[in-house]
């Protein structure tokens, strides 16, 4: 068997190939294959505001989030009807420290039911915001938990079964940053919006009058020909420090990005989905499939613009119709414009946050998942069916294999996992940190280890699913309960589901 490990989700510096067809322009920007070039008239990158919060008498940090409709100038000069949290598009950045108790009050001011899920967060099932916690129009829902995980870049988005893609496409996504002392001590760029930049990367298609075009999804969902970063097309960022941290989220429906800089400079990958890595990884490309995050630190030179861009997907063995799935596309994502003098910044420490292996790579798997078409293990999602029960405080080893000629990925709620092996071998360095979503290339087996702690619920399940949102909506999702010792599944609580209460 030929190993496909050479080109997994990132590229070691030594294995860089120059990407054909993209010759850097004078300012380093790429001509864009299908999208608008960031080289022309650009607008300053909007920075989602930090969410206001209050501390109640019990010391709980309280956030108020409202899903609402509005209008956004995603394209300069055009007014697009969009949905957002506490605004017309995207949402404020929620921020809390490890150990802090948080409460999020979510009001739905949209004309249809939705949910808000805290992607990557370890939360009780009733606060997870999955398809069982529907919020009716005009209603409010409250999620509560204590932040019990390391610093990282998480996000929140709707999860109503069958229409998640539409709700996210219209603009509902926000970041949730977790802070802790360990991360603070590393001296990474950390001034929000100045040298610590949130970057929500999404692709959109517009009708001639500037409306979001929700027609004609491909088999990987709605693919756009225009990139919007933090809600706008054609963004640039004035840089005033020698190093900046980019917290990048692929918030797209089905597009896979291969992110790097126009001059192929090396950057440091410092965090993946679940937070800081054991060691910074030097790379010049990082692949992000929908739902994945990467925090990178890049060094800029005074007065020398450089462009963050996405280039064609390299790892495509076994993918049928790669061009139709956007694998050949290139886009400018963000132009960086460093000032003529830059504030000095500390180097990225070589070691970041230690991680202890949860299990040996050779551990026999507790569960195996096969991804194909809109199914996991030959079944489509059923809101009334529990697919798995997991004993609380257990460490589980799961294998995932994409047995299809489509791209898929795999996301698990409630936990962060470690990638123990890829086709039986050690994972590439960019998969050496905590993950909650992993790209699954056809024919490759990924071995994941995760620990289910703290929360049990006999009636409310968590989800695992493909995070290509059309696939998730069409049923590529399963449900699991985490049970306490001796606890048995109870009749599923369907009160918050769109299908009403089942007895
Ligand atoms: Cu980001 Cu179940 O989702
Ligand atoms: Cu999630
Ligand atoms: Cu999929």
């Amino acid at each position: 068997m030929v190993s496909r490990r050479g080109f997994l989700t990132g590229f070691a510096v030594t294995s860089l190939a120059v990407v054909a067809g993209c010759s850097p322009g004078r300012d380093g920007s790429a001509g864009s294959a299908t999208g608008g070039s960031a080289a022309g008239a650009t607008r300053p990158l909007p920075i989602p505001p930090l969410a206001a919060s209050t501390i109640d008498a019990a010391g709980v940090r309280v956030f108020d989030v409202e899903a609402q409709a509005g209008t956004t100038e995603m394209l300069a000069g055009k007014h697009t009807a969009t949905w957002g949290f506490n605004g017309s598009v995207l949402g404020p950045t929620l921020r809390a420290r490890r150990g802090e108790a948080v409460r999020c009050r979510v009001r739905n001011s949209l004309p249809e039911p939705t949910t808000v899920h805290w992607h990557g967060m370890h939360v009780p099932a009733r606060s997870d915001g999955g398809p069982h916690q529907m919020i009716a129009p005009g209603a409010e829902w409250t999620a509560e938990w204590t932040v019990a995980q390391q610093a990282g870049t998480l996000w929140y988005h709707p999860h109503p079964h069958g229409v998640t893609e539409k709700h996210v496409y219209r603009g509902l996504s926000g970041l949730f940053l977790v802070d802790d002392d360990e991360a603070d001590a590393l001296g990474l760029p950390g001034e929000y919006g100045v040298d610590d930049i949130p970057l929500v990367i999404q692709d959109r298609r517009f009708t001639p009058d500037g409306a979001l075009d929700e027609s004609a999804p491909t088999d990987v969902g709605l693919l756009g020909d225009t990139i919007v970063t933090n809600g706008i097309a054609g963004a640039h960022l004035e840089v005033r420090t020698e190093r900046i941290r980019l917290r990048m989220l692929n918030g797209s429906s089905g597009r896979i990005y291969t992110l790097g800089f126009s001059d192929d400079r090396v950057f440091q990958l410092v965090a993946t989905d679940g937070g800081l890595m054991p060691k910074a990884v030097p790379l010049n490309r990082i692949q992000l499939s929908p739902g994945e995050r990467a925090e990178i630190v890049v060094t800029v030179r005074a007065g020398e613009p450089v462009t963050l861009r996405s280039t064609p997907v390299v790892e495509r063995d076994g993918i049928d119709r790669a061009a139709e799935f956007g694998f050949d596309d290139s886009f400018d994502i963000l132009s960086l414009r460093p000032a003529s003098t830059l504030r000095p910044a500390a180097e990225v420490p070589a070691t970041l946050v230690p991680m202890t292996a949860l299990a040996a790579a050779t551990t026999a798997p507790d569960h195996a998942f096969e991804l194909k078409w809109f199914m996991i293990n030959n079944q489509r999602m059923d809101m009334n069916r529990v697919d798995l029960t997991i004993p609380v405080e257990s460490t589980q080893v799961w294998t995932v294999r994409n047995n299809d000629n489509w791209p898929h990925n795999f996301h698990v709620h409630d936990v962060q996992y470690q990638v123990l092996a890829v086709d039986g071998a050690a994972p590439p360095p960019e998969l050496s940190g905590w993950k909650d979503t992993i790209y699954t290339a056809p024919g490759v087996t990924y071995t994941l280890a995760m620990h289910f702690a703290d929360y049990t619920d006999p009636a409310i399940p968590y989800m695992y699913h493909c995070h290509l949102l059309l696939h998730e909506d069409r049923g590529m999702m399963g449900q699991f309960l985490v049970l306490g010792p001796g606890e048995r599944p109870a009749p599923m609580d369907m009160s918050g589901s769109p299908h009403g209460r089942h007895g």
Side-chain angles (χ1 to χ4, degrees):
M1 242 230 200
V2 178
S3 165
R4 294 186 173 92
R5 284 189 53 248
F7 287 116
L8 273 166
T9 57
F11 294 67
V13 173
T14 48
S15 68
L16 169 74
V18 172
V19 179
C22 299
S23 43
R26 188 170 43 84
D27 68 346
S29 69
S32 176
T34 47
S37 168
T42 57
R43 291 180 287 165
L45 177 76
I47 302 294
L50 289 172
S53 59
T54 55
I55 306 285
D56 78 0
V60 178
R61 185 175 292 282
V62 183
F63 294 99
D64 282 291
V65 174
E66 181 181 6
Q68 58 192 77
T71 304
T72 305
E73 201 178 336
M74 290 184 130
L75 301 172
K78 300 261 188 187
H79 298 278
T80 303
T82 51
W83 287 358
F85 295 109
N86 300 2
S88 70
V89 77
L90 301 178
T93 298
L94 276 56
R95 198 154 194 176
R97 286 191 85 77
R98 183 179 198 162
E100 232 176 356
V102 298
R103 179 180 310 130
C104 298
R105 295 190 295 227
V106 182
R107 170 158 289 279
N108 179 9
S109 298
L110 300 171
E112 53 184 277
T114 193
T115 81
V116 176
H117 166 60
W118 320 101
H119 178 129
M121 195 75 80
H122 174 48
V123 291
R126 66 174 177 282
S127 290
D128 192 40
H132 292 272
Q133 286 92 44
M134 293 295 280
I135 317 168
E140 196 175 280
W141 169 76
T142 300
E144 269 180 290
W145 70 93
T146 295
V147 178
Q149 62 198 84
Q150 72 175 78
T153 302
L154 314 181
W155 66 300
Y156 61 101
H157 63 79
H159 215 302
H161 189 42
V163 286
T164 292
E165 179 179 43
K166 191 172 77 173
H167 286 207
V168 174
Y169 193 76
R170 290 177 178 177
L172 292 167
S173 302
L175 295 176
F176 198 130
L177 308 186
V178 172
D179 298 303
D180 67 12
D181 296 347
E182 251 176 318
D184 290 353
L186 294 172
L188 296 171
E191 206 180 324
Y192 184 80
V194 176
D195 63 2
D196 183 356
I197 309 294
L199 213 55
V200 180
I201 302 169
Q202 298 172 310
D203 59 330
R204 294 292 181 264
R205 202 150 37 85
F206 296 90
T207 63
D209 62 349
L212 286 170
D213 188 348
E214 296 176 5
S215 68
T218 69
D219 281 339
V220 296
L222 292 168
L223 273 190
D225 54 13
T226 304
I227 298 299
V228 293
T229 41
N230 293 354
I232 69 159
H236 71 258
L237 178 73
E238 311 280 354
V239 180
R240 296 197 169 73
T241 55
E242 197 173 73
R243 291 193 178 79
I244 57 169
R245 159 152 61 165
L246 298 175
R247 299 179 184 249
M248 305 188 294
L249 158 69
N250 179 352
S252 304
S253 287
R255 184 176 286 286
I256 296 160
Y257 299 96
T258 305
L259 298 162
F261 291 92
S262 43
D263 59 0
D264 290 320
R265 71 182 54 187
V266 172
F267 53 82
Q268 304 289 324
L269 174 68
V270 296
T272 49
D273 304 334
L276 293 161
M277 311 190 71
K279 283 188 169 70
V281 179
L283 295 172
N284 49 27
R285 291 284 186 279
I286 179 81
Q287 177 178 295
L288 290 185
S289 69
E292 289 185 287
R293 286 88 67 208
E295 292 182 32
I296 65 170
V297 175
V298 62
T299 304
V300 297
R301 287 180 295 270
E304 285 182 35
V306 65
T307 301
L308 174 71
R309 64 184 202 208
S310 179
T311 49
V313 180
V314 173
E315 183 191 14
R316 53 173 76 193
D317 284 5
I319 299 283
D320 209 17
R321 297 180 288 142
E324 195 181 315
F325 299 155
F327 278 44
D328 290 344
D329 301 341
S330 295
F331 295 98
D332 286 352
I333 307 286
L334 176 70
S335 23
L336 301 180
R337 296 186 185 163
S340 52
T341 53
L342 298 172
R343 186 149 47 91
E347 297 232 19
V348 173
T351 57
L352 300 171
V353 174
M355 186 171 95
T356 324
L358 288 174
T362 49
T363 312
D366 299 282
H367 296 283
F369 301 88
E370 184 193 291
L371 313 180
K372 194 180 172 97
W373 198 53
F374 296 121
M375 299 186 295
I376 299 179
N377 291 344
N378 292 311
Q379 282 187 309
R380 294 225 220 179
M381 165 81 167
D382 180 342
M383 291 278 290
N384 295 296
R385 183 187 70 230
V386 169
D387 297 280
L388 291 179
T389 58
I390 306 286
V392 71
E393 305 309 335
S394 68
T395 296
Q396 295 268 312
V397 174
W398 292 7
T399 59
V400 184
R401 184 179 168 92
N402 172 357
N403 224 353
D404 207 346
N405 52 15
W406 288 354
H408 295 293
N409 69 11
F410 192 74
H411 169 52
V412 185
H413 286 210
D414 188 42
V415 291
Q416 292 291 334
Y417 50 72
Q418 297 175 348
V419 183
L420 296 183
V422 176
D423 269 350
E430 64 273 16
L431 293 180
S432 60
W434 293 101
K435 296 286 294 170
D436 59 44
T437 308
I438 189 179
Y439 179 67
T440 55
V444 178
T445 300
Y446 300 83
T447 307
L448 314 175
M450 62 206 91
H451 185 73
F452 292 86
D454 307 318
Y455 307 118
T456 63
D457 197 312
I460 305 178
Y462 295 102
M463 309 292 135
Y464 54 87
H465 57 91
C466 177
H467 216 289
L468 276 66
L469 300 180
L470 175 84
H471 294 183
E472 171 184 342
D473 282 342
R474 295 277 173 90
M476 203 166 188
M477 179 153 66
Q479 314 193 94
F480 64 95
L481 293 172
V482 178
L483 299 175
E487 195 171 25
R488 304 188 56 84
M492 184 115 52
D493 179 1
M494 302 292 289
S495 53
S497 90
H499 309 295
R501 184 174 286 281
H502 291 234

